[in-house]
Amino acid sequence: YAQSACKTPKRKEHFKSHHMTPLIIKLVKLELLYYTIDVCCSMRGGMVMESHYVDMHLVQRKLLIKSGKNANKCLEKELVILSDSERKKAKLDRSQLFHNSDSRQSVTLLGKAGVGKTTFIQRLCLDWVSGSLPQFQFVFLLNCKILDLTQSNYSLKGLLFDLSMSPRCKDSDSVFKHILSCPDEVLIIFDSFDHIKDFEGLLQSPAKSHTNTKYTIKQLFSGLFQKEILSGCTLLIATRPKDVLNQVLRKMDSLLELCGFSPEDIELYTSKYFGDGSLQKSALKQIKNHRYISSLCSNPLLCWTTCFLLEHQDSCNDDLPSTLTDLYQRVTSKHLQLASLKNSSLCKNRKQLNIPQLCKMAWEGLENHDTRVNPASSTELLDCALKSGILASYKASEHQESHFVDLFTQNLLSAVHLVQSEQVNEKMVVANSVVHQKKRKVQGESQDVLHRFVTGLVFQKAADGVSILDSSVNIKAKRKAVETHLESMKPNDLVPNRLLELFHCVYETSSAKFAKLLLKNLPDNLSFYGTQLCPLDVYVICHLLQQASALKRTFSINLQDTCIPICGLKELVGLKCIKSFWAHTADTIGLWEDLHQSNDELNLKSAIEKFTLHPLKATQGYHIENLPVLVQIHREKKLPMSEFVSALDEGVPALRHLQRLEFELGVQNGPELFPKLIEVLPSLQSLQHLE
Ligand SMILES: Nc1ncnc2c1ncn2[C@@H]1O[C@H](COP(=O)(O)OP(=O)(O)OP(=O)(O)O)[C@@H](O)[C@H]1O
């Protein structure tokens, strides 16, 4: 059989590498499996995947197809923001990740900081170990945080065997040969892809040779991505959405977003964290009773942080934090305190740990979009920070590297540096506090978090509880400068996502004065159009807007393309100061159904009356697709799933009052949806202008 299979020299070669070395391949694979278990089964804080992992859903995302030079360079702006109902339909679970029958694909896993991308990947690798991904013989996991992107002396073999999280392989030559002969059985994962800072030209000069030719990491990635090398392998990239240019990602075969924790997941997580018992019950009760904290916990990292704080709080009567700054100050202080208790010789008390030095390192790293600390720093400092859980250690190619453990910790310490270091002037603090009107460049998530922390720290009152700031440093001048900047802000001129950031910064000040100022200056028509809103965003918007009635202000709010969950929509629409709203029609109908089912006729009536469509600019398919069902509700005076609804006595006012409709679907969707528009026209009695 062997002889007949090897008719040509090439096939002979292939056969040899495929069949004559099976034992070594099997052994290496076994070693890889064991190693993967080692690397992937533990989680932060001494927890383990097996017992602490909470299964999370994925949502399939799509890109808006834009052409021409003006296409946005920011991925976030090109992603179609799905409505809550569309998101429910687009849900997948982990087993469907590589559902495409053609396994040779490139998949992107999107998610904000702390949403669990790395953890998800670890879980996926363990699935592979347990045989759930039989299409892959080899899985190579690369962490872009620890790859040296400046050097140009890597080969493909080096990338896979020396830089990935795989064991050092004694017979790497024959294994590499084997891999080259069956690329479609290889999965390569790039985690923390956003750390490849400079995306310009990423796809230029791809690596083209499998041999020992030397390339940069970017060239190797580009070669893999453009199928110049190891053509047929599957690529998985995990990245934060805001920080990445779309040049590469828009060409990926599949874009998936990792959803955070649902309220049920939070409950499950607390039971895993505390174990079943009174501690879990009291922790969950505290989280549920504190609306800010429960919205925060939809982010798994912040959920873990909250549980850590609850576990170590001195008394269960302690108040929970009410801002992100407060949460992270308390947690960081707790980490330091625990480390000093555990390790009397190294950091007996906080004074011995040079916190200002640590904060300076955090800032220097942040400026360069780097999470790593300078290895030349004092070993005592690094050791203590490692022990306190502020730093984490990673195995780089030939040494261990220390990194700040997460984005929030690094940003808090950086903010402390900015606020209290004498080397930082007021101008610099202002530049890194609240949103800037003129900055046009897309800002990353990290910067948004930094703004919140700087603003939070600057306005922190001495009596506010745990503070990480050195009380002997006078920050009055910096506070005054940020205050002047805040007072000069014109919310009217801000684009939706910057407006949201302003809401967050004002929230972090915990100051009634700034809340009032913001509410006074807000335009009558508020728009969050096109900005994805998470539960925390919705909480902060609601919290600030609910104080508007006292100032006798009312607003129209545009919540289209925000993927606001129905419970958030319910809360916002229920506010007195909201006199009209515009949200995705399917979600609005979902809200009405929800209110009807809970017999909340009063709020149902108000939600029907507040809904507006005016002026309707149909730029996306769903603007027209959902009109027929709205017309049906209007005509039949009932919801699709219900009998007569008294709140719909007079139909749907938004349809009755619609005066202007602009049909702007273009040549692609226009012709298909035009008949739908014709169908509903007779019901639009007030329509005066159709364009
Ligand atoms: N599915 C999950 N089940 C339980 N805990 C989770 C899960 N996902 C994340 N966590 C917790 O949240 C923390 C942060 O998750 P992770 O580091 O995976 O986030 P990330 O999205 O990779 O963040 P970044 O973008 O900053 O790298 C983990 O250390 C873990 O404690």
Side-chain angles (χ1 to χ4, degrees):
Y1 173 75
Q3 272 171 2
S4 64
C6 302
K7 283 196 176 123
T8 63
K10 205 170 167 199
R11 286 189 73 178
K12 211 172 197 165
E13 176 89 342
H14 172 81
F15 185 82
K16 245 183 162 177
S17 71
H18 209 73
H19 296 272
M20 303 308 272
T21 52
L23 192 59
I24 175 77
I25 303 301
K26 277 183 192 159
L27 283 174
V28 168
K29 195 181 157 193
L30 209 60
E31 227 180 319
L32 188 57
L33 291 174
Y34 279 121
Y35 197 79
T36 307
I37 299 177
D38 241 17
V39 171
C40 295
C41 76
S42 50
M43 295 166 88
R44 192 171 161 187
M47 301 199 287
V48 286
M49 288 296 250
E50 175 124 6
S51 47
H52 290 99
Y53 184 78
V54 173
D55 247 328
M56 280 205 287
H57 281 111
L58 297 159
V59 165
Q60 183 89 50
R61 300 286 302 264
K62 288 180 284 186
L63 286 178
L64 277 175
I65 309 297
K66 289 186 181 171
S67 56
K69 278 193 174 169
N70 290 331
N72 278 314
K73 278 200 165 176
C74 163
L75 173 76
E76 217 193 23
K77 287 191 187 159
E78 295 224 351
L79 279 172
V80 175
I81 299 189
L82 303 174
S83 68
D84 195 49
S85 40
E86 285 168 328
R87 279 177 82 83
K88 283 179 187 142
K89 280 186 215 142
K91 265 189 181 172
L92 303 172
D93 61 39
R94 204 169 66 246
S95 63
Q96 293 165 296
L97 185 67
F98 302 110
H99 63 293
N100 200 331
S101 56
D102 177 10
S103 65
R104 288 173 246 169
Q105 49 178 317
S106 49
V107 178
T108 303
L109 184 65
L110 295 166
K112 286 179 147 196
V115 89
K117 299 176 293 297
T118 302
T119 313
F120 180 90
I121 284 173
Q122 282 175 256
R123 186 60 253 184
L124 193 75
C125 289
L126 293 176
D127 286 347
W128 172 68
V129 170
S130 64
S132 305
L133 295 167
Q135 66 270 47
F136 302 119
Q137 285 293 318
F138 291 92
V139 174
F140 294 99
L141 175 55
L142 293 143
N143 184 350
C144 297
K145 260 187 208 169
I146 54 173
L147 295 181
D148 186 345
L149 300 161
T150 56
Q151 301 285 331
S152 59
N153 56 358
Y154 304 112
S155 64
L156 176 62
K157 191 175 140 220
L159 181 79
L160 300 182
F161 290 96
D162 303 333
L163 302 178
S164 76
M165 308 274 170
S166 59
R168 295 296 150 255
C169 177
K170 282 184 210 99
D171 197 358
S172 57
D173 281 338
S174 37
V175 182
F176 184 58
K177 236 182 189 171
H178 175 77
I179 283 173
L180 291 180
S181 71
C182 54
D184 48 346
E185 293 174 7
V186 179
L187 167 66
I188 305 179
I189 306 173
F190 286 86
D191 190 11
S192 301
F193 194 70
D194 35 292
H195 279 259
I196 301 190
K197 291 164 255 181
D198 176 17
F199 293 91
E200 292 293 342
L202 183 58
L203 295 187
Q204 284 153 22
S205 59
K208 294 195 174 197
S209 160
H210 291 126
T211 61
N212 281 337
T213 320
K214 300 300 182 193
Y215 296 107
T216 61
I217 302 277
K218 284 187 191 179
Q219 284 173 317
L220 285 167
F221 169 77
S222 174
L224 287 167
F225 181 69
Q226 300 188 71
K227 304 189 185 356
E228 298 279 357
I229 47 174
L230 211 60
S231 169
C233 72
T234 299
L235 284 181
L236 172 64
I237 288 172
T239 181
R240 297 179 194 149
K242 239 187 183 179
D243 301 351
V244 179
L245 289 176
N246 59 18
Q247 191 192 23
V248 176
L249 298 187
R250 66 149 73 125
K251 291 185 185 143
M252 301 291 282
D253 298 322
S254 175
L255 279 166
L256 299 166
E257 182 191 337
L258 199 54
C259 306
F261 282 170
S262 65
E264 295 75 34
D265 293 336
I266 297 175
E267 194 158 341
L268 182 61
Y269 184 79
T270 54
S271 70
K272 285 172 181 273
Y273 187 99
F274 292 100
D276 286 323
S278 61
L279 211 53
Q280 187 263 345
K281 282 202 183 89
S282 105
L284 188 62
K285 196 169 153 211
Q286 288 194 68
I287 293 175
K288 276 188 173 167
N289 286 344
H290 199 298
R291 299 230 342 271
Y292 174 70
I293 290 291
S294 47
S295 66
L296 205 78
C297 284
S298 64
N299 178 311
L301 172 63
L302 299 180
C303 191
W304 176 81
T305 312
T306 304
C307 290
F308 174 84
L309 195 67
L310 285 168
E311 185 190 356
H312 293 99
Q313 69 185 5
D314 302 324
S315 128
C316 62
N317 295 328
D318 283 1
D319 277 348
L320 282 177
S322 55
T323 62
L324 198 62
T325 317
D326 190 11
L327 172 70
Y328 261 83
Q329 281 198 101
R330 290 200 210 180
V331 167
T332 311
S333 302
K334 199 49 143 192
H335 278 307
L336 292 169
Q337 192 191 341
L338 289 176
S340 68
L341 284 176
K342 263 196 227 151
N343 211 297
S344 49
S345 65
L346 272 174
C347 33
K348 259 190 214 129
N349 52 49
R350 282 179 51 186
K351 281 201 183 96
Q352 266 178 297
L353 176 67
N354 190 344
I355 294 180
Q357 182 60 26
L358 196 64
C359 294
K360 188 163 181 252
M361 287 196 305
W363 169 243
E364 283 166 357
L366 199 71
E367 273 188 303
N368 296 314
H369 195 65
D370 202 340
T371 56
R372 130 187 48 200
V373 292
N374 182 352
S377 322
S378 124
T379 28
E380 278 194 357
L381 179 66
L382 295 188
D383 219 28
C384 194
L386 275 167
K387 289 207 164 76
S388 61
I390 287 177
L391 298 180
S393 174
Y394 291 98
K395 191 167 150 284
S397 55
E398 266 148 21
H399 57 285
Q400 289 290 125
E401 265 182 7
S402 300
H403 289 248
F404 285 95
V405 74
D406 60 55
L407 174 135
F408 294 92
T409 305
Q410 184 173 10
N411 281 266
L412 177 79
L413 296 175
S414 304
V416 171
H417 172 73
L418 292 173
V419 172
Q420 71 179 19
S421 165
E422 282 174 9
Q423 292 152 11
V424 180
N425 61 22
E426 286 103 64
K427 208 169 151 198
M428 181 87 156
V429 176
V430 171
N432 287 289
S433 67
V434 200
V435 189
H436 284 261
Q437 219 104 20
K438 289 191 192 109
K439 270 192 190 156
R440 303 201 63 219
K441 215 176 120 207
V442 184
Q443 296 182 319
E445 190 179 348
S446 170
Q447 219 154 0
D448 293 343
V449 173
L450 181 71
H451 288 166
R452 294 183 206 176
F453 282 150
V454 170
T455 317
L457 287 175
V458 163
F459 293 107
Q460 176 169 277
K461 292 178 200 85
D464 273 357
V466 181
S467 173
I468 200 167
L469 290 180
D470 181 344
S471 55
S472 64
V473 179
N474 186 344
I475 60 165
K476 262 190 190 158
K478 289 181 180 172
R479 185 181 304 139
K480 185 76 204 134
V482 178
E483 186 169 346
T484 313
H485 174 64
L486 251 179
E487 284 167 354
S488 71
M489 293 292 302
K490 294 192 184 73
N492 209 356
D493 300 342
L494 295 174
V495 293
N497 67 355
R498 302 286 89 211
L499 182 65
L500 176 65
E501 266 323 295
L502 178 61
F503 268 73
H504 275 289
C505 287
V506 170
Y507 180 82
E508 289 295 316
T509 66
S510 306
S511 146
K513 178 180 144 191
F514 292 123
K516 258 190 196 166
L517 184 73
L518 172 74
L519 292 169
K520 205 173 115 233
N521 291 336
L522 282 178
D524 292 339
N525 295 319
L526 283 182
S527 176
F528 291 100
Y529 178 74
T531 300
Q532 195 163 332
L533 299 177
C534 69
L536 183 60
D537 300 325
V538 177
Y539 175 86
V540 167
I541 297 172
C542 281
H543 178 85
L544 290 168
L545 285 185
Q546 71 194 5
Q547 303 165 41
S549 331
L551 301 171
K552 299 203 168 52
R553 285 225 55 191
T554 55
F555 305 99
S556 288
I557 191 163
N558 187 348
L559 297 165
Q560 286 186 97
D561 285 356
T562 56
C563 82
I564 182 166
I566 291 194
C567 55
L569 190 60
K570 187 164 153 183
E571 211 173 323
L572 258 173
V573 170
L575 292 178
K576 261 196 191 153
C577 69
I578 299 298
K579 73 170 199 294
S580 64
F581 76 98
W582 194 2
H584 194 289
T585 310
D587 289 349
T588 305
I589 297 171
L591 168 69
W592 295 344
E593 267 167 351
D594 184 283
L595 290 166
H596 180 62
Q597 271 157 22
S598 46
N599 286 327
D600 192 351
E601 290 300 312
L602 208 64
N603 279 322
L604 173 60
K605 196 160 177 46
S606 146
I608 293 171
E609 279 163 6
K610 286 181 179 183
F611 178 57
T612 178
L613 282 168
H614 181 76
L616 179 54
K617 251 187 201 241
T619 50
Q620 293 199 43
Y622 73 80
H623 289 139
I624 298 296
E625 274 160 9
N626 291 314
L627 278 180
V629 60
L630 207 57
V631 164
Q632 196 187 344
I633 294 174
H634 177 67
R635 282 216 204 112
E636 297 177 359
K637 302 188 191 318
K638 71 176 208 57
L639 294 166
M641 310 295 280
S642 73
E643 295 301 316
F644 175 77
V645 174
S646 60
L648 282 165
D649 239 1
E650 296 179 28
V652 176
L655 278 184
R656 263 203 343 260
H657 301 145
L658 184 67
Q659 293 178 353
R660 188 181 177 94
L661 198 155
E662 291 174 25
F663 189 83
E664 290 185 9
L665 285 177
V667 283
Q668 219 175 11
N669 292 330
E672 192 192 322
L673 288 171
F674 194 63
K676 282 212 170 186
L677 175 66
I678 300 297
E679 198 186 307
V680 300
L681 275 182
S683 302
L684 308 179
Q685 293 151 6
S686 306
L687 195 70
Q688 290 170 3
H689 183 106
L690 174 63
E691 194 171 306

